[in-house]
Amino acid sequence: MMNTIHSYWAYLALTILLLALINAIVGYASKRDFKAKDLRLSLFALITSHIQLLIGLGVYFSSPMYQSLKASGMNATNRMLAVEHPIMMILAIVLITIGWSKHKKQTTDTGKFKTIAIFYGLALILILSRIPWSQWCDI
Ligand code: HEM
């Protein structure tokens, strides 16, 4: 159950993060004003990724991965699910959180877009690098 929610919520979290990133890059490049809709989109990306973190923690402590770890030890698949994926995702969400709080301290609209673009962009790279793609695409 938790696993299924984690799997589907990932689509939402990734889509909104990608939209917030594209919006920030376009806003920065066009030097337009940082409006309420820009704030809302960046905030949605922060919220959906935090929810994914909470679901991920639930998945982590109830995952069948433990049986697999017991049975076959620390192989590449188990290392990905038990260590690499969680650590990288937590790091990515920390970056999103830092980006969100730093953008609020920026005094210019370009500065706000730039901060969101850098931190959300780095977070997206980390997330994409450590998603268990073969497992995800298997459902
Ligand atoms: C933005 C954050 C995250 C994204 C986008 C994400 C995405 C995913 C995806 C797509 C899968 C594959 C699901 C499937 O098999 O259908 C997965 C599996 C998993 N995730 Fe995450 N995840 C995130 C954060 C986390 C965190 C923070 C943890 C733990 C602290 C975590 C723990 C796990 C575990 C243990 C699995 C394997 C579940 C299993 O097959 O037993 N995830 N994640």
Side-chain angles (χ1 to χ4, degrees):
M1 171 72 173
M2 267 312 220
N3 221 331
T4 313
I5 301 175
H6 189 65
S7 183
Y8 284 108
W9 194 266
Y11 286 104
L12 185 72
L14 277 178
T15 307
I16 297 183
L17 182 60
L18 184 66
L19 287 178
L21 173 62
I22 294 171
N23 183 65
I25 293 172
V26 172
Y28 175 70
S30 61
K31 296 187 167 53
R32 64 177 173 78
D33 292 348
F34 191 90
K35 299 203 179 99
K37 80 166 180 57
D38 303 306
L39 184 100
R40 241 177 277 136
L41 187 54
S42 318
L43 180 61
F44 278 153
L46 176 84
I47 293 170
T48 49
S49 64
H50 276 240
I51 292 174
Q52 182 70 351
L53 168 72
L54 293 180
I55 307 167
L57 287 171
V59 171
Y60 194 79
F61 293 109
S62 62
S63 169
M65 165 186 86
Y66 291 108
Q67 275 91 46
S68 174
L69 257 175
K70 246 192 205 164
S72 28
M74 193 57 97
N75 57 26
T77 313
N78 288 339
R79 192 174 56 242
M80 170 67 144
L81 296 182
V83 185
E84 294 171 8
H85 174 74
I87 289 181
M88 217 52 126
M89 299 301 134
I90 290 171
L91 218 77
I93 294 164
V94 167
L95 281 176
I96 292 172
T97 313
I98 294 174
W100 169 258
S101 47
K102 272 189 172 298
H103 106 276
K104 289 195 284 188
K105 297 191 186 101
Q106 295 296 318
T107 48
T108 63
D109 289 353
T110 319
K112 287 181 192 292
F113 281 126
K114 189 177 166 189
T115 309
I116 294 285
I118 291 173
F119 282 89
Y120 283 27
L122 287 174
L124 187 63
I125 292 170
L126 292 193
I127 291 173
L128 294 180
S129 78
R130 281 299 173 274
I131 278 189
W133 291 105
S134 54
Q135 194 178 313
W136 196 24
C137 300
D138 228 29
I139 56 163

